[in-house]
Amino acid sequence: TTGSLSGCSCMVDPGVNVTVNSNHTLTITNAVTNNGGTLTFENNSSLLQTTNAVNTGNIIYKRNTTTRRYDYTYWSSPVVRAPIPFTMHDLSPNTLADKYTSYNPNASWVIHFGGNVEMMPGQGYSIRGPQDFDIVTPATQLVSFVGVPNNGPISVPLVTAERFHLIGNPYPSAVYADQFILDNTANLYGTLYFWTHNTAPAGDGSGKYKYNSSDYATYNMTGSTGTGTGAISPG
């Protein structure tokens, strides 16, 4: 792409390679169908669909994050894959085996050893940086989600009232935070928390690392609070 594109539908034929470059948006009214080619979305690009059409065939959805070995990044998958599910290990294969986690409001952090669990739409997952990354100096981790792009309404069960839940954007595009809060007023108090891992993890002398709870940026209908890089956007 040389810019953002819009269309009624998108079909990729066998042997055809399509790349949506960074900062470009592919807006499609109906379905995205990959018949055997490749459809790649570079970092910071988006696939935006305006109806609840059912997609077919895999895309490659790239995202970059800046992290250290002992940093955690919160991820959510914009794709599903069958018959072999897309897993946490597929996303970050060089993460230490016991550093793939999700959050259970009743039992705190849950370890998924080896990362061999499917990343379900709308669920949030916490994955530590690759084991070969430096401890102090941040580096860019390049990841790729491979699967059928999510589209249409997606529900995430909130298992316990009055508790924090780790959820994530299930779509290959941004979500408008104000509308998300309005649509979920029956279930959420209205403040969203975003983990920024702005502060380097601190060792406690026992081999364990502690993380700064002030590294959660917040957003609600009255404004936002950033963590080192300023306020966050509702888009």
Side-chain angles (χ1 to χ4, degrees):
T1 60
T2 57
S4 295
L5 298 171
S6 298
C8 178
S9 59
C10 176
M11 181 176 293
V12 182
D13 291 330
V16 175
N17 301 317
V18 178
T19 299
V20 179
N21 285 319
S22 295
N23 301 313
H24 295 169
T25 298
L26 176 62
T27 302
I28 298 297
T29 302
N30 297 302
V32 173
T33 304
N34 185 354
N35 286 328
T38 61
L39 177 55
T40 302
F41 291 83
E42 296 290 348
N43 184 55
N44 289 333
S45 65
S46 294
L47 169 62
L48 175 63
Q49 293 178 266
T50 58
T51 66
N52 298 332
V54 177
N55 299 320
T56 305
N58 292 342
I59 66 169
I60 301 170
Y61 193 70
K62 297 182 179 180
R63 282 298 179 263
N64 301 343
T65 185
T66 301
T67 189
R68 310 171 186 86
R69 182 188 305 176
Y70 296 132
D71 271 345
Y72 280 87
T73 301
Y74 289 179
W75 295 102
S76 187
S77 179
V79 302
V80 294
R81 190 174 65 185
I84 302 175
F86 187 83
T87 68
M88 301 166 73
H89 182 269
D90 290 331
L91 185 70
S92 184
N94 293 327
T95 290
L96 204 63
D98 63 345
K99 305 305 178 186
Y100 300 95
T101 59
S102 61
Y103 188 75
N104 184 323
N106 295 316
S108 191
W109 294 102
V110 179
I111 296 173
H112 302 282
F113 195 85
N116 294 315
V117 294
E118 181 176 7
M119 299 184 72
M120 302 300 294
Q123 294 287 355
Y125 300 90
S126 179
I127 302 177
R128 205 173 80 171
Q131 192 65 11
D132 56 351
F133 272 33
D134 189 77
I135 298 174
V136 177
T137 304
T140 301
Q141 182 184 12
L142 312 178
V143 305
S144 295
F145 295 91
V146 180
V148 180
N150 295 326
N151 189 36
I154 292 174
S155 297
V156 178
L158 302 181
V159 296
T160 304
E162 306 294 331
R163 299 286 179 87
F164 287 104
H165 289 74
L166 180 56
I167 60 176
N169 178 6
Y171 304 108
S173 65
V175 168
Y176 187 39
D178 286 357
Q179 191 64 51
F180 177 84
I181 292 171
L182 289 173
D183 289 344
N184 290 279
T185 53
N187 299 305
L188 303 176
Y189 283 128
T191 297
L192 308 177
Y193 296 80
F194 299 86
W195 175 245
T196 67
H197 58 91
N198 182 64
T199 306
D204 65 359
S206 68
K208 296 182 180 180
Y209 281 80
K210 296 182 177 180
Y211 301 86
N212 194 331
S213 60
S214 65
D215 279 353
Y216 282 96
T218 63
Y219 182 85
N220 57 37
M221 299 293 281
T222 65
S224 64
T225 302
T227 59
T229 57
I232 58 176
S233 169

